[in-house]
């Protein structure tokens, strides 16, 4: 039984196409995930009793709770249910990814918890067992198990690996308001057909750009169908995207269901002055892709 420090990277969706509504109300996606260098860390060690400690490095306050509502605890409980016994574990979550912004921080933490608890307690589980648990914990958790760069279909859990993107600076603009994922999807359901799919074809374009490995192709390929819904709920998002382009980003898109926006810069562009121009619009972070899997 070994203590472990597990990485839980944030993700962005280089493409996100909503293809329809599934019978259970979830949405069928064709999306391209890519990990970022920005990460949470989860320290996992077997212990006499289970506890979750949050080390909040970015002042998120009540957003991240150290109790059974946290996806880290849900991941531990799902493993206990599967193996039919308690797995007393001390979990210390070092939180750096802003919560509720579409960067997949909670899902990343859950994936790290699944991998960390399995290894710390030497559980004889197969990758397929973990994938099943992950898909039940949330649509993005399966991606967090392998990470890197991958195409996600179904609810986002049917994954196939892709080549890493070219090394570009990535800026994150976290606006002062959050967006709720279910509300953004509900809003998409009510959009008129003609404005529903602005990102149509982006998944195929991004796959082609990644296989050629050309930054210029990638910069022209990204798309996100949820932008139309998020901008209907928060019209200021389209203005923020415009300001990111004006400030020097070659491309600006919504992260997942928002409200965070990511900007991609030309490979040779220094991100610092661009970040400075954006700092009055929200919290700005500079990061890069982390395109290789675990
Ligand atoms: O699975 P996750 O907890 O990330 O999803 C949060 C909510 O987002 C779901 O309850 C659902 O309303 C919506 N969602 C969806 N289709 C997806 C992913 C999420 O409708 N593929």
């Amino acid at each position: 039984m070994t203590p472990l420090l597990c990485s839980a990277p944030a993700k962005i969706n280089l493409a996100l196409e909503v293809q329809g509504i599934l019978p259970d109300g979830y949405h069928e996606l064709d999306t391209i995930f890519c990990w970022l260098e920005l990460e949470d860390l989860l320290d996992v060690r077997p212990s006499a009793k289970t506890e979750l400690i949050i080390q909040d490095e970015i002042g998120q306050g009540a957003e991240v709770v150290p109790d059974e509502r946290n996806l880290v605890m849900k991941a531990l409980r799902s493993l206990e249910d599967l193996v039919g016994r308690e797995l007393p574990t001390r979990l210390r979550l070092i939180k750096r990814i802003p919560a509720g912004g579409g960067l997949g921080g909670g899902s990343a933490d859950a994936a790290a918890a699944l991998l960390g608890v399995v290894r710390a307690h030497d559980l004889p589980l197969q990758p397929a067992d973990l994938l099943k648990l992950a898909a039940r914990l949330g649509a993005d958790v399966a991606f967090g198990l392998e990470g890197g760069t991958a195409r996600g279909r179904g609810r986002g859990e049917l994954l196939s690996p892709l080549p890493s993107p070219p090394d570009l600076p990535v800026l994150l603009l976290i606006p002062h308001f959050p967006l709720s994922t279910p509300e953004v999807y509900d809003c998409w359901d009510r959009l008129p057909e003609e404005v529903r799919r602005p990102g149509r074809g982006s998944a195929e374009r991004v796959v082609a750009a990644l296989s050629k490995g050309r930054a210029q192709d990638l910069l022209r390929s990204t798309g996100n169908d949820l932008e139309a819904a998020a901008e209907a709920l928060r019209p200021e998002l389209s203005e923020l995207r415009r300001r990111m382009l004006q400030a020097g980003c070659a491309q600006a898109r919504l992260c997942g269901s928002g409200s965070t926006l990511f900007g991609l810069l030309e490979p040779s562009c220094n991100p610092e002055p661009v970040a400075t121009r954006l700092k009055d619009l929200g919290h700005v972070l500079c990061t890069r892709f982390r395109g290789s899997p675990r």
Side-chain angles (χ1 to χ4, degrees):
M1 300 212 285
T2 359
L4 285 165
L5 190 61
C6 301
S7 164
K11 60 85 189 159
I12 56 175
N13 303 77
L14 291 169
L16 194 160
E17 295 188 55
V18 184
Q19 303 209 303
I21 308 174
L22 296 165
D24 61 2
Y26 260 77
H27 292 73
E28 190 171 2
L29 305 182
D30 187 358
T31 186
I32 313 293
F33 295 107
C34 188
W35 261 353
L36 299 177
E37 283 183 355
L38 173 70
E39 63 177 4
D40 290 342
L41 291 172
L42 185 67
D43 178 66
V44 182
R45 49 189 78 204
S47 166
K49 70 172 176 51
T50 288
E51 60 178 332
L52 172 61
I53 300 150
I54 310 250
Q55 191 174 317
D56 178 5
E57 296 204 340
I58 50 169
Q60 313 206 66
E63 286 262 20
V64 183
V65 288
D67 60 28
E68 299 290 333
R69 288 170 292 168
N70 194 300
L71 272 177
V72 166
M73 290 301 285
K74 291 186 182 171
L76 171 68
R77 300 305 180 206
S78 72
L79 282 168
E80 290 182 330
D81 287 346
L82 185 68
V83 299
R85 66 182 167 93
E86 285 185 18
L87 301 167
T89 311
R90 180 181 183 274
L91 298 150
R92 187 169 57 96
L93 178 61
I94 301 163
K95 200 68 205 157
R96 295 176 185 155
I97 306 173
L103 291 165
S107 300
D109 300 343
L114 289 174
L115 294 168
V117 172
V118 163
R119 284 175 58 196
H121 288 272
D122 289 327
L123 301 178
L125 296 180
Q126 300 302 314
D129 299 321
L130 290 190
L131 265 178
K132 243 184 256 164
L133 296 186
R136 268 185 249 140
L137 287 165
D140 296 342
V141 182
F143 171 67
L145 292 176
E146 271 302 307
T149 313
R151 187 170 194 165
R153 292 209 170 84
R155 294 170 178 76
E157 84 289 14
L158 305 174
L159 295 159
S160 41
L162 289 170
S164 302
D167 185 27
L168 305 176
V170 180
L171 280 188
L172 300 173
L173 173 63
I174 299 127
H176 300 300
F177 52 86
L179 272 174
S180 139
T181 301
E183 276 176 34
V184 173
Y185 277 103
D186 280 353
C187 180
W188 185 89
D189 294 349
R190 296 191 305 272
L191 287 177
E193 194 54 44
E194 63 276 14
V195 295
R196 258 187 176 180
R197 300 200 53 204
R200 197 186 300 259
S202 56
E204 274 305 326
R205 285 197 303 273
V206 170
V207 169
L210 292 174
S211 62
K212 286 194 200 129
R214 285 216 299 260
Q216 287 309 322
D217 292 351
L218 182 64
L219 292 173
R220 279 195 296 269
S221 305
T222 61
N224 183 343
D225 284 346
L226 294 178
E227 266 166 17
E231 289 175 4
L233 291 169
R234 281 288 189 168
E236 51 278 54
L237 280 170
S238 63
E239 172 62 13
L240 290 180
R241 263 195 322 126
R242 203 181 59 74
R243 297 279 290 272
M244 290 176 82
L245 297 173
Q246 220 172 37
C249 295
Q251 189 54 270
R253 293 267 166 236
L254 190 72
C255 294
S257 59
S259 59
T260 301
L261 297 164
F262 70 86
L264 301 182
L265 277 64
E266 299 279 351
S268 58
C269 183
N270 176 4
E272 297 300 334
V274 183
T276 305
R277 283 178 220 127
L278 294 171
K279 69 179 184 347
D280 293 336
L281 304 177
H283 180 48
V284 183
L285 293 172
C286 297
T287 184
R288 301 189 89 86
F289 292 125
R290 177 168 157 184
S292 304
R294 282 189 196 278

